[in-house]
Amino acid sequence: MKKILQLIAAVTLTFSAVESKAQLADGSIAPDWTFTDIVGTSHNLYTYLNAGKTVFIDVSATWCGPCWGYHTGGALENLYTSYGPGGTNELMVFFIEGDGATDMLDLDGTDAASQGDWITGTPYPIINPAAAATTTFNTNYAIGYFPTIYMVCPDRSIKEVGQLTTSALYAEKAA
């Protein structure tokens, strides 16, 4: 009986630890942020939302294979090209580097730890916050794994949408 109780306690602790790594709950309010992208342009989340735009945020890491696969698949690039500032101008897309140790060598793919060149061909802003800002962002957004793809609606509600196709991402916006 004692071993069964220990097993139940261990399983409960494991699920509690996993649960604490969960993403922000769908429908919760997205925390505001202001970051400067790698070309020097400042972006504020709530400014975009106040303008009526839906914002998609890809939180990835340059060393992450699944992140690279999704990035090179072009879903967010196509979404941004069709519906971002150069298209219908109804949404915005951001890549936010989730590893505070990442530098420009990782982003441009010249560091051996990087999956490739994240910059060339990416039309939307790439943000590589300083280590302390990355930690704060990852905590505020409950980032538990990469990639994490969020959609933030103009009412500031957030939803994790995952690695969807362009049309599926756009359908989430319309839902």
Side-chain angles (χ1 to χ4, degrees), residues 35-134:
F35 287 128
T36 301
D37 66 27
I38 62 170
V39 298
T41 305
S42 181
H43 302 276
N44 173 257
L45 175 63
Y46 281 11
T47 299
Y48 288 102
L49 301 177
N50 291 341
K53 297 186 185 336
T54 299
V55 175
F56 289 85
I57 304 169
D58 172 10
V59 185
S60 288
T62 59
W63 47 260
C64 168
C67 301
W68 179 245
Y70 187 63
H71 181 78
T72 58
L76 291 171
E77 178 182 342
N78 295 334
L79 185 73
Y80 181 81
T81 301
S82 297
Y83 305 107
T88 60
N89 199 24
E90 58 192 283
L91 58 80
M92 194 62 188
V93 176
F94 292 98
F95 171 94
I96 298 181
E97 173 57 49
D99 182 343
T102 296
D103 60 22
M104 287 303 293
L105 295 176
D106 296 305
L107 285 168
D108 70 18
T110 57
D111 187 282
S114 179
Q115 292 289 317
D117 182 352
W118 296 78
I119 300 169
T120 303
T122 302
Y124 48 88
I126 297 172
I127 297 169
N128 185 26
T134 300

